[in-house]
Amino acid sequence: MDLQKYKNHLFQTIKNKLTEWLSLKAETVLAEELYRFLHSIKGTSGTLQLDDLMQTSSELLSKLENEEKKKWTEIELNNFLYPLIKLIYQYENSGNLASLNNKVLNSKAPLIQIIDDDVSMLILLKDVLETKGWMVITNTNPESAVKQYFEMKPDCLILDIQLPQKDGFQVLQEIQHDSEKYFIPTIMISIKNNKETRIKAYQLGADDFFKKPIDIEEFVVKVDRHLQRKKIFDQFVLIDELTQVYNRKFLMDNLQRFFLDFKRTKDPFSISIIDIDFFKNINDTYGHLMGDHVLKDFAQYIKRNIRSSDTIYRYGGEEFVIVFPNTTSKDAKRYINRLIKGFSQIEYTYKEMCFTVTFSAGIYTVNDESVTIMDALKEADSSLYEAKHLGRSRVECLQMTSNVYQKGTLNISVVDDDTIIRTLLNQMLESITIDNININIKLFENGPSFLNSEHAKEDVNHFLILDGVMPVMDGLEVLQKVKQEKNAHRYKILMLTGRKSQDEIERALRLGADDYVTKPFNVTDLQVRIERILNMLK
C-alpha cells in the first residue's frame, strides 16, 4: 500500500484544522474538541508510521488531562499547539529543509556584504556562501549599499565594478575613507580582466580580484581566507581604528582586572556608558563622513578631558564606556556633567551649516562582589536609557534614584497570508529580547490590514517581515507603499520570497528591502539573521 498518499492527506487535514482554529479571532475552542483532534492524530499517525507526529500528539494529549473544561483562545492555541505547527511546517518542506539544516547560522557568524546589480549573481553567491554558515546581505543600488555598509560593518565586502549610477570604483573610494580605519577585506569582481582594471582595483584598496564568470570553488576558499585574516587581526588589535581610543575587546579584558581588584581592595569604581544623541540624524543629514568626524572628535574630546586615571573605550557604534577607578556614582556624575556641558559648546560646520552635538550617559557603581561584568554594563545601559527618556544631554544613575527607567519601543510586523508561517514567526519573535527595548509584535494576513493599522503608522523603529506573494496586495506593492510613507526611514524590511523568484528578489532589492530570505526557511537561521538586523535598530 502506498502510505505517502495517506500521509499527505493527514498532514493537509491537520493544517486545515490548525488554520481554522488559529484564525478564530474572538472565538474559542473547547478542550473536548482539542482532545478529539489530537487523539485522532495520535491513532492515525501510529498506523502510518509517523513516529514524530505520534509522539508530539501524545505529549500534547498528556498536557490536556487537567484541562477538561478549558476554553482555548487563539493566543493560547498558538502557544500550546506550536510543536505541532512546527512539525507540519517541517513535513511540508522536508526536502528543502534537509539541505538547509546542514549549515545553520550562529549569532557570531561572519557577515558578508555583496554589491552587484546582477541579481542572478547575487542569488548564486548568497546561496553558496550561506551554505558555509556565513550571513550574507545583498544590495543592487550603490547609494543604499554604501549606507548599508556603514550601518552593518560587514566582515568582508564583495563589490562588482559595473554598477548603475556610480561604478564599483566610486563606491570603493567612498567607503575607503572608512576602510582605512577598519580592516574590512574587499573583493572586487568584474567582467573586465585587463591589467589596468586590476591595478586600479588594488590601488583603490581592494584585497582581491575575480573575473566573471567566477570559479566558485576558488572564490569560497578565498573568502574563507580573508575572513580568517580579519579574525586574527581583530584578536590582536586593542585600539579602535577610527577613534583611536581603546576598543571593546580591551575594555572586557580590563574590566576583569578591575573586578578582581575590587574583590581584593573593596574600593568601589564606576562604569559609565555614554552615547551621542541623535547620531543617526547626523549621518542622515550630513553624511557618514561627517558622522565619522564627529565620532573621532567626540572620543578625543573625552580622552583629553577625563582624569589621567580614567579610561575611555569604544563600546560599539556611537557608544563609549568610561571607567572611573575609586570613584562613587556621585563623583562620576559630576565629572560627566562637566563633559556634557563642554562638548555641547563645540560647533561643527558642514557646507556652511553649523550644528552642535550633545551626548547622554548612564552610570553604575560597582560596590557589590556578587555583581558580574555583564550585570554592571547592563545596569549602566539602563541608566543611559533613562537619560535618553528624560530628554537627553544628561547623565543618570538609577542606583541614586527610585526611578524605573523607560524602555525604548520597537514595532515588529509579520505580513503573510499563511497562518502556519505567521504563527511560527510569532513564536520565534517572542523569544527574542533586546536590552532596554519593548518589542511590540503584530501579525497581519494581508497588506491593506497592515498599511491601515496604527501599528504601521507609529513614529517608532519598525521591523517588517513581508511575504512576497499574497492575495489582495502582493508584498512588493506593500513594500513600495511603506517606502513612500513619512516614517519610511524607521523601517528595516525583510522579504520572504520563493526559492526561484529571481524577478521578485530583484524588485524587492531595488525597492529598498534590507534583506531577503527564501522559503522554506530554517527557523533558527532566520532568528539569528533577524537578531542581527534588530540590533541595528536599538
Side-chain angles (χ1 to χ4, degrees), residues 409-411 437 461-463 489-492 532-538:
T409 299
L410 170 66
N411 282 357
I437 296 291
N461 287 334
H462 203 129
F463 181 62
H489 65 285
R490 293 283 203 173
Y491 274 82
K492 292 293 177 188
R532 198 84 171 253
I533 296 173
L534 292 185
N535 280 313
M536 292 166 48
L537 296 175
K538 287 182 65 176

Side-chain angles (χ1 to χ4, degrees), residues 483-495:
K483 286 296 181 179
Q484 293 168 351
E485 295 294 328
K486 63 181 181 180
N487 63 343
H489 65 285
R490 293 283 203 173
Y491 274 82
K492 292 293 177 188
I493 301 171
L494 175 68
M495 291 292 297

Side-chain angles (χ1 to χ4, degrees), residues 345-439:
Q345 294 170 352
I346 299 172
E347 282 197 351
Y348 292 92
T349 303
Y350 177 83
K351 294 182 179 179
E352 301 181 352
M353 293 184 291
C354 291
F355 65 95
T356 58
V357 181
T358 62
F359 72 93
S360 303
I363 296 171
Y364 181 77
T365 298
V366 178
N367 52 19
D368 181 347
E369 287 190 26
S370 66
V371 173
T372 66
I373 291 175
M374 297 315 297
D375 290 338
L377 290 171
K378 187 173 182 179
E379 290 296 329
D381 199 36
S382 297
S383 292
L384 169 63
Y385 269 80
E386 178 70 359
K388 296 281 188 181
H389 172 70
L390 293 175
R392 294 178 169 83
S393 189
R394 60 189 294 146
V395 54
E396 291 295 328
C397 177
L398 293 174
Q399 283 174 300
M400 298 172 65
T401 69
S402 58
N403 292 347
V404 176
Y405 72 94
Q406 299 295 316
K407 291 186 176 184
T409 299
L410 170 66
N411 282 357
I412 299 181
S413 297
V414 177
V415 185
D416 196 309
D417 62 312
D418 188 322
T419 306
I420 298 295
I421 297 291
R422 289 200 306 273
T423 305
L424 272 175
L425 291 176
N426 183 57
Q427 290 288 334
M428 181 264 288
L429 290 166
E430 286 188 343
S431 70
I432 294 175
T433 58
I434 303 177
D435 288 345
N436 302 309
I437 296 291
N438 279 320
I439 297 178

Side-chain angles (χ1 to χ4, degrees), residues 116 121 125 157-162 186-194 197-198 201-202 206-226:
D116 194 332
M121 178 63 71
L125 293 182
L157 173 65
I158 299 166
L159 175 62
D160 185 31
I161 293 177
Q162 285 73 38
T186 301
I187 301 172
M188 298 209 77
I189 56 178
S190 175
I191 56 173
K192 295 182 179 179
N193 191 33
N194 56 67
T197 300
R198 296 196 306 272
Y202 290 124
D207 297 281
D208 216 331
F209 185 96
F210 272 85
K211 176 186 177 297
K212 292 181 177 179
I214 292 172
D215 183 313
I216 294 296
E217 186 177 3
E218 181 183 352
F219 185 76
V220 171
V221 171
K222 285 284 191 76
V223 171
D224 188 30
R225 181 61 185 150
H226 286 300

Side-chain angles (χ1 to χ4, degrees), residues 321-333:
V321 168
I322 306 173
V323 179
F324 298 95
N326 301 316
T327 305
T328 64
S329 53
K330 183 178 180 181
D331 288 336
K333 190 171 184 179

Side-chain angles (χ1 to χ4, degrees), residues 144-406:
S144 60
V146 170
K147 182 180 178 182
Q148 188 182 55
Y149 171 89
F150 281 105
E151 285 181 340
M152 301 223 35
K153 288 291 188 300
D155 296 297
C156 181
L157 173 65
I158 299 166
L159 175 62
D160 185 31
I161 293 177
Q162 285 73 38
L163 293 171
Q165 300 154 14
K166 61 173 70 173
D167 65 30
F169 289 135
Q170 291 171 298
V171 173
L172 187 58
Q173 284 179 302
E174 193 169 342
I175 66 175
Q176 187 57 31
H177 168 84
D178 186 71
S179 294
E180 290 174 357
K181 311 296 186 301
Y182 296 93
F183 175 52
I184 298 178
T186 301
I187 301 172
M188 298 209 77
I189 56 178
S190 175
I191 56 173
K192 295 182 179 179
N193 191 33
N194 56 67
K195 184 177 180 180
E196 292 75 15
T197 300
R198 296 196 306 272
I199 288 175
K200 186 175 182 180
Y202 290 124
Q203 286 176 334
L204 291 175
D207 297 281
D208 216 331
F209 185 96
F210 272 85
K211 176 186 177 297
K212 292 181 177 179
I214 292 172
D215 183 313
I216 294 296
E217 186 177 3
E218 181 183 352
F219 185 76
V220 171
V221 171
K222 285 284 191 76
V223 171
D224 188 30
R225 181 61 185 150
H226 286 300
L227 290 172
Q228 291 299 323
R229 286 174 56 233
K230 176 168 174 54
K231 184 177 180 181
I232 293 169
F233 179 85
D234 290 346
Q235 286 174 345
F236 286 97
V237 172
L238 301 177
I239 300 292
D240 178 66
E241 296 92 338
L242 175 66
T243 61
Q244 292 300 295
V245 298
Y246 291 121
N247 61 17
R248 183 179 183 132
K249 180 182 183 301
F250 197 48
L251 165 67
M252 303 310 287
D253 291 344
N254 275 2
L255 280 179
Q256 289 183 356
R257 178 172 57 81
F258 275 106
F259 272 76
L260 287 173
D261 287 347
F262 168 71
K263 289 181 178 179
R264 179 175 53 84
T265 66
K266 303 298 185 291
D267 293 331
F269 67 97
S270 293
I271 298 171
S272 176
I273 299 182
I274 59 178
D275 179 275
I276 298 175
D277 295 327
F278 301 112
F279 184 71
K280 187 176 186 302
N281 289 351
I282 296 173
N283 281 334
D284 291 344
T285 306
Y286 308 109
H288 285 278
L289 296 186
M290 176 54 77
D292 279 356
H293 174 69
V294 170
L295 275 175
K296 288 187 288 185
D297 205 41
F298 174 65
Q300 290 303 310
Y301 168 82
I302 299 294
K303 186 177 180 179
R304 288 193 308 270
N305 288 281
I306 53 179
R307 303 171 303 178
S308 59
S309 59
D310 306 330
T311 312
I312 179 174
Y313 308 80
R314 189 175 183 191
Y315 194 47
E318 65 272 22
E319 283 191 337
F320 296 78
V321 168
I322 306 173
V323 179
F324 298 95
N326 301 316
T327 305
T328 64
S329 53
K330 183 178 180 181
D331 288 336
K333 190 171 184 179
R334 187 171 72 252
Y335 299 147
I336 293 174
N337 272 323
R338 290 176 190 165
L339 295 172
I340 290 173
K341 182 178 180 181
F343 187 68
S344 67
Q345 294 170 352
I346 299 172
E347 282 197 351
Y348 292 92
T349 303
Y350 177 83
K351 294 182 179 179
E352 301 181 352
M353 293 184 291
C354 291
F355 65 95
T356 58
V357 181
T358 62
F359 72 93
S360 303
I363 296 171
Y364 181 77
T365 298
V366 178
N367 52 19
D368 181 347
E369 287 190 26
S370 66
V371 173
T372 66
I373 291 175
M374 297 315 297
D375 290 338
L377 290 171
K378 187 173 182 179
E379 290 296 329
D381 199 36
S382 297
S383 292
L384 169 63
Y385 269 80
E386 178 70 359
K388 296 281 188 181
H389 172 70
L390 293 175
R392 294 178 169 83
S393 189
R394 60 189 294 146
V395 54
E396 291 295 328
C397 177
L398 293 174
Q399 283 174 300
M400 298 172 65
T401 69
S402 58
N403 292 347
V404 176
Y405 72 94
Q406 299 295 316

